[in-house]
Amino acid sequence: MFSPTPSPVHDVIVVGARAAGAATALLLARLGHDVLVVDRTELPSDTISTHQLARTGVVALQRWGLLDEVVASGAPAIRQVTFHTIGDPGHPPKPSVTRAIKDKSGVDFLVAPRRWVLDTLVARAAQRAGATIRYGVTVNGVLRDSAGGVVGVRGHDERDQPVELRARFVVGADGLGSRIARSVGAPRIVDRGAPGATLYAYYTGLPWPGIEFVTRTGSFAGVFPTHHGEAAIWVCLPTATALAARKGRSPEVAFTALLERAAPELAERLHDAARTSPVRGMLRAPNQIRRGVGPGWALVGDAAYHRDPVSGHGLSDAYRDAELLAVALDAALTGVVEEDVALAEYEQARLRESREIFDLTYALAQYPPISTFVELNKRLGDAIEAEAAALAARPIPGAALAWA
């Protein structure tokens, strides 16, 4: 009589192969660890995201040796930003201001690659570094030892066959609705509700010289140039306004009406463009932080921390925290520090480094008067520059292995 072959015990299982998960796996693999990534959806595939990277995210891609590859994929190097401010009725608009992207923290342009391109590129880099990726695996929960610590995951594959996988650490990088977070009982330690909405669609047929931001009382809209001569045209606004516009209308009709109110000159330009996608987005964008660590487990990306898209910082959050987590897990796996100490250091670092931008984002999502909104955006820009500089100054995890 044969006993079933026990599954191997990996160093780390990462649940979720997109931004935060692929980045965490890439860095841990470069540090020499046995990493298994599982995801129910095979890449390349798209996901809801406005996907313009703030400077922090671009610095991360450069540190990992992937920025040139992103540009080579067809994502345009964005070298200017134009700011439009529209006054209230009876008040003339302020002159538009165009500024060049400055050379700071080692990068002099921004990018807004489509997620189906970017996530695939980072996941493949993780595979080249030695990580294993299994698609078609749906994780339903975690495995625990007799003391209650997490030692793996359970679920099923694409043939609905049961799957049990074991590891010293499990990382939940499975997004806002994280099953890992629910399975480990990770509480929300901050929850400020979901006051804001974001809608977007892709357009082609016009020149897109750079990023554009359009500020008006009660809304924030703009343009992100991306692959294939397209641009993401987006509008952020209060949830109540979005729901009222959506009532009795198709998403496309509602989006057009909202954009005409938020950015009339941009909406007029789009008459000469062609929409190439459905309208997508979130009508209720949560602003929350979960407890991110426990015995044998950690959360990263939207599973741990989500904020309104109005600040355009989601990918940068994911990449920043992926580095923090990879360094912490490497320290625990190599015995430099005890597991609980390493996880506590990650938790403290991610909370410390995310808090200012979280607070600014939430304040922006209240859509205060224009003067306040503009001032908050300036403070956000300063916070992002400081964050990018701090990231650029750190040692690069696994750099020697990456470019050996």
Side-chain angles (χ1 to χ4, degrees), residues 360 364 369-382:
L360 288 167
L364 286 166
I370 287 180
S371 58
T372 303
F373 193 94
V374 170
E375 177 57 30
L376 287 168
N377 255 321
K378 289 179 180 177
R379 289 172 57 191
L380 175 67
D382 291 342

Side-chain angles (χ1 to χ4, degrees), residues 297-308:
W297 63 269
L299 303 177
V300 69
D302 286 350
Y305 164 58
H306 189 277
R307 88 300 321 125
D308 194 290

Side-chain angles (χ1 to χ4, degrees), residues 52-64 66-67 70 107 109-111 113 118 122 312-320 323 384 387-389 391:
Q52 185 257 319
L53 279 88
R55 193 184 297 270
T56 306
V58 181
V59 168
L61 290 172
Q62 185 194 53
R63 285 162 60 80
W64 306 338
L66 299 180
L67 184 56
V70 170
V107 298
F109 63 88
L110 302 178
V111 288
L118 178 62
V122 180
H313 203 258
L315 283 166
S316 293
D317 286 326
Y319 290 164
R320 178 201 62 220
E323 281 215 9
I384 289 172
E387 176 188 66
L391 179 62

Side-chain angles (χ1 to χ4, degrees), residues 39 84 109 119 126 170 188 195 208 236 239-240 244 260 331 355:
D39 201 305
H84 310 278
F109 63 88
D119 293 347
V170 169
R188 294 179 181 88
W208 312 106
C236 299
T239 290
E260 287 174 346
R355 197 54 186 259

Side-chain angles (χ1 to χ4, degrees), residues 221-302:
V223 177
F224 295 151
T226 188
H227 287 92
H228 311 304
E230 294 182 330
I233 309 298
W234 50 270
V235 58
C236 299
L237 65 169
T239 290
T241 305
L243 290 173
R246 181 70 177 85
K247 190 173 182 179
R249 296 172 169 176
S250 70
E252 289 70 27
V253 170
F255 178 72
T256 298
L258 290 168
L259 194 63
E260 287 174 346
R261 168 64 178 82
E265 189 276 335
L266 174 58
E268 181 68 26
R269 272 190 280 157
L270 293 178
H271 291 163
D272 296 322
R275 183 168 53 81
T276 58
S277 75
V279 172
R280 306 183 72 187
M282 298 180 71
L283 293 177
R284 297 178 178 85
N287 296 270
Q288 65 182 38
I289 304 171
R290 290 184 183 272
R291 180 161 66 88
V293 299
W297 63 269
L299 303 177
V300 69
D302 286 350

